[in-house]
Amino acid sequence: VQLQASGGGLVQAGGSLRLSCASSGRAFSTYRMGWFRQAPGKEREFVAAISGRGGITYYQDSVKGRFTISRDGAKNTVYLQMNSLKPEDSAVYYCAADRFAGGNNYYDSSLYDYWGQGTQVTVSS
């Protein structure tokens, strides 16, 4: 399975970006998909996740109400719509796939089997 993330860029505070993550896997619809981010000097952190069928979503508290994760099974793609961006959202964003999608540890990066290459998001103040 290969994941290809795109959509990052430079945006002013208050602006929006939509990240995309395209998957080559045929079992895409069964994977829990997640977005994580890592800022310089910080550990990678969970941002959002979505269940295999898209019925359940999870968010880090700091992005609730501003970010929306979604998926399109026909396109094997997961999205992260980011609105009202803040400078502290600046990071490299990674998409990831969890093949087994079990339990409630959706925030645990060690459970994800496949990772995209990352896309840079920079929010200027």
Side-chain angles (χ1 to χ4, degrees), residues 96-115:
D98 176 0
R99 288 182 297 168
F100 302 109
N104 293 321
N105 294 341
Y106 49 85
Y107 50 85
D108 186 348
S109 62
S110 69
L111 298 180
Y112 289 77
D113 306 285
Y114 307 109
W115 290 83

Side-chain angles (χ1 to χ4, degrees), residues 44-106:
R44 187 172 298 188
E45 65 174 2
F46 167 77
V47 177
I50 187 166
S51 63
R53 299 298 178 183
I56 304 174
T57 57
Y58 314 88
Y59 297 96
Q60 183 198 108
D61 285 346
S62 70
V63 307
K64 283 181 181 177
R66 300 189 298 121
F67 291 11
T68 302
I69 188 171
S70 62
R71 64 192 300 160
D72 184 334
K75 296 182 178 180
N76 278 11
T77 300
V78 63
Y79 304 98
L80 186 67
Q81 177 66 44
M82 305 186 295
N83 299 328
S84 302
L85 283 161
K86 304 176 181 180
E88 51 265 42
D89 294 318
S90 298
V92 177
Y93 283 69
Y94 299 90
C95 61
D98 176 0
R99 288 182 297 168
F100 302 109
N104 293 321
N105 294 341
Y106 49 85

Side-chain angles (χ1 to χ4, degrees), residues 28-52:
F28 174 78
S29 64
T30 67
Y31 299 159
R32 175 189 287 160
M33 298 297 296
W35 286 97
F36 292 78
R37 66 187 181 188
Q38 187 167 20
K42 296 187 177 181
E43 293 187 354
R44 187 172 298 188
E45 65 174 2
F46 167 77
V47 177
I50 187 166
S51 63

